[in-house]
Amino acid sequence: MSWVRLQPSGIAFQVPAGVDLLSAAASSGIRVPAACRNGVCEICEARLLSGQVLNTRNQQPIPVGQRLMMCRAQALTDLELEIPAVMASGNYQPRKFQAKVVDVRSLSHDVYRVELQLPARRDVAFHAGQYLAVNLPGADPCYFSIASRPSVSNIELHIQASPEWLSAQKVIDALTSGQDVSVELPHGKACLAAAPAKPMALVAAGTGFAQMKSLVEYLQETDFNHPVKLFWGVRKHEDMYLRSLAQQWQTDWAPFTFQPVVGDDEDNDWGGHHDQLVRAVLASGFDWTNVEVHASGSPAMVYTLMDALLAAGLPKQAFFSDVLEYAPRG
C-alpha cells in the first residue's frame, strides 16, 4: 500500500499494490478528469514530482519530472504528483451556466424536487455538499444545496416553497419543464473533495437533508467503510419528505445508520427542536475526538450544535457547515 499526495490541492489517498492511480483515486472519492482509461485521451495526465511509478503500458519506470497517465500508472513507492485539475474542497471557482429544467415535482406539502440538466456536464465540476444559485431576471440570487453526487449527469435540488419562503416560491413558480434557467455553481466550502479517514456524523434540519443526500451518495461510490450516521430533524412527521430514502440507505449500506428526530406535533413552532436534535446527536455514542461532522440548517441550529460538540471534545477543524461562511458569529 502506497500513499499518493496531489499538488497543489494537497489531497492524499492510498493505492493498493497492483491498482492503477486513477482507480485508486476514484475509490477515495477524488474526481480526476478522465475519459478513455487506456492512456490515449491523456485527460488524466499528471506530473511525477517524487517517488517511483510503473508505466503499465510498457512496464517501464517513469522518471521524476515526467508526465504520466494515471490510468496507466501504478505506485511502487509513496508518490507526489502535480495535477492542477484536482481541486481541494471548496476551491472550484463559481461559473454561470444555462440549465434546462427537466422536471419539477412535489415531494411533500411544501417541498419540491427540481431536476436540472447542465450543458457539457463533464466541464461542470463541484464537490459533494456544495450549493448553487438560481438567478431569475430582476431578482436576487436564490441559493439551494445540490442534492446530487458529483458523478451524475443531472443536478437535483430540494426547494421548500411556502408563505415563509417567498423567494423560493418565486423560483418554483418560474420553473417549468423544458425551459432554461440561469444558475451559478459551485458555492460552499463545507464539502468533500475526498472521503475522510474517520467516522462521520451528518446533521440536517428540514431541507438541509439535500446537502446530506449529496454527501451520502458520494460516499457510497467510494470504498468508505467508517460509520456514517445521519440525524434528520423536522417539526412534524410530514416534513420528513424523503424518509423512505434514508431508511433504504440504512438497509442497503452497512456503514450507514439513520436517526429521525421529530418535534412535538402539537407544537408546530417546535421551539425546542434545536435542543432536541443536539441531544440526539450527543447521545449517539461517537468518540467526538475522532469524528467529522457536517451540519446543515439554520444558524441557530448549527451554532447550538457546534458549541455542544466542541464542549464534548470535537476538534473545531472537524466541524463543517456553510453557516460558518455565510452567517459568521461575532
Side-chain angles (χ1 to χ4, degrees):
M1 186 79 73
S2 302
W3 277 98
V4 176
R5 183 169 296 276
L6 306 179
Q7 300 296 355
S9 67
I11 296 172
F13 62 99
Q14 285 189 297
V15 184
V19 175
D20 67 83
L21 301 183
L22 183 62
S23 297
S27 295
S28 296
I30 299 168
R31 183 183 182 274
V32 175
C36 71
R37 298 191 64 87
N38 62 16
V40 175
C41 72
E42 301 189 351
I43 294 176
C44 64
E45 178 181 300
R47 188 167 69 91
L48 179 62
L49 300 179
S50 67
Q52 298 178 26
V53 178
L54 179 70
N55 183 336
T56 60
R57 183 180 293 279
N58 58 19
Q59 299 300 308
Q60 296 297 313
I62 298 173
V64 171
Q66 297 299 305
R67 68 188 189 120
L68 57 84
M69 302 306 129
M70 292 182 65
C71 66
R72 282 296 191 174
Q74 292 179 359
L76 301 177
T77 65
D78 292 347
L79 306 176
E80 187 173 22
L81 303 179
E82 181 182 53
I83 177 166
V86 175
M87 303 292 286
S89 292
N91 280 4
Y92 286 123
Q93 293 301 306
R95 297 167 57 194
K96 290 186 177 179
F97 302 90
Q98 286 296 114
K100 185 173 293 294
V101 180
V102 176
D103 186 50
V104 180
R105 66 180 62 186
S106 174
L107 293 176
S108 72
H109 62 288
D110 64 353
V111 176
Y112 294 83
R113 178 188 181 274
V114 175
E115 183 180 351
L116 302 176
Q117 181 183 52
L118 289 165
R121 179 62 183 88
R122 248 181 58 192
D123 298 331
V124 182
F126 66 93
H127 290 132
Q130 291 196 287
Y131 60 95
L132 58 68
V134 174
N135 301 303
L136 297 180
D140 292 334
C142 291
Y143 296 94
F144 305 102
S145 291
I146 300 171
S148 318
R149 63 188 185 275
S151 62
V152 298
S153 56
N154 289 353
I155 281 181
E156 177 182 336
L157 309 176
H158 299 166
I159 298 179
Q160 185 176 21
S162 66
E164 298 85 38
W165 302 95
L166 292 178
S167 59
Q169 184 65 62
K170 289 180 180 178
V171 171
I172 290 298
D173 291 343
L175 299 183
T176 57
S177 296
Q179 76 173 75
D180 290 338
V181 61
S182 173
V183 297
E184 182 180 84
L185 74 152
H187 293 279
K189 298 185 181 299
C191 54
L192 291 177
K198 60 174 67 175
M200 295 193 67
L202 310 178
V203 186
T207 51
F209 174 80
Q211 183 180 25
M212 303 309 152
K213 178 178 179 292
S214 175
L215 295 174
V216 170
E217 294 184 345
Y218 163 78
L219 289 171
Q220 286 178 310
E221 285 188 328
T222 73
D223 290 338
F224 191 80
N225 57 9
H226 298 281
V228 181
K229 187 158 188 174
L230 170 65
F231 304 84
W232 188 6
V234 295
R235 288 184 171 87
K236 297 177 290 184
H237 285 284
E238 54 265 35
D239 293 334
M240 199 163 283
Y241 55 89
L242 282 178
R243 181 172 183 152
S244 60
L245 177 61
Q247 291 170 330
Q248 192 64 46
W249 290 336
Q250 182 167 264
T251 299
D252 295 343
W253 190 35
F256 181 83
T257 56
F258 170 50
Q259 183 166 342
V261 181
V262 182
D264 182 357
D265 286 354
E266 296 179 359
D267 178 10
N268 289 337
D269 290 332
W270 191 22
H273 69 292
H274 296 155
D275 291 336
Q276 185 176 348
L277 184 55
V278 170
R279 286 197 301 270
V281 175
L282 289 174
S284 61
F286 275 117
D287 172 9
W288 295 110
T289 64
N290 186 43
V291 178
E292 183 165 310
V293 178
H294 288 252
S296 183
S298 69
M301 185 280 280
V302 167
Y303 284 117
T304 300
L305 175 68
M306 184 178 75
D307 291 343
L309 292 180
L310 295 186
L314 181 77
K316 189 171 184 179
Q317 66 271 22
F319 186 90
F320 297 87
S321 176
D322 291 317
V323 166
L324 307 184
E325 184 181 358
Y326 72 75
R329 239 179 351 196

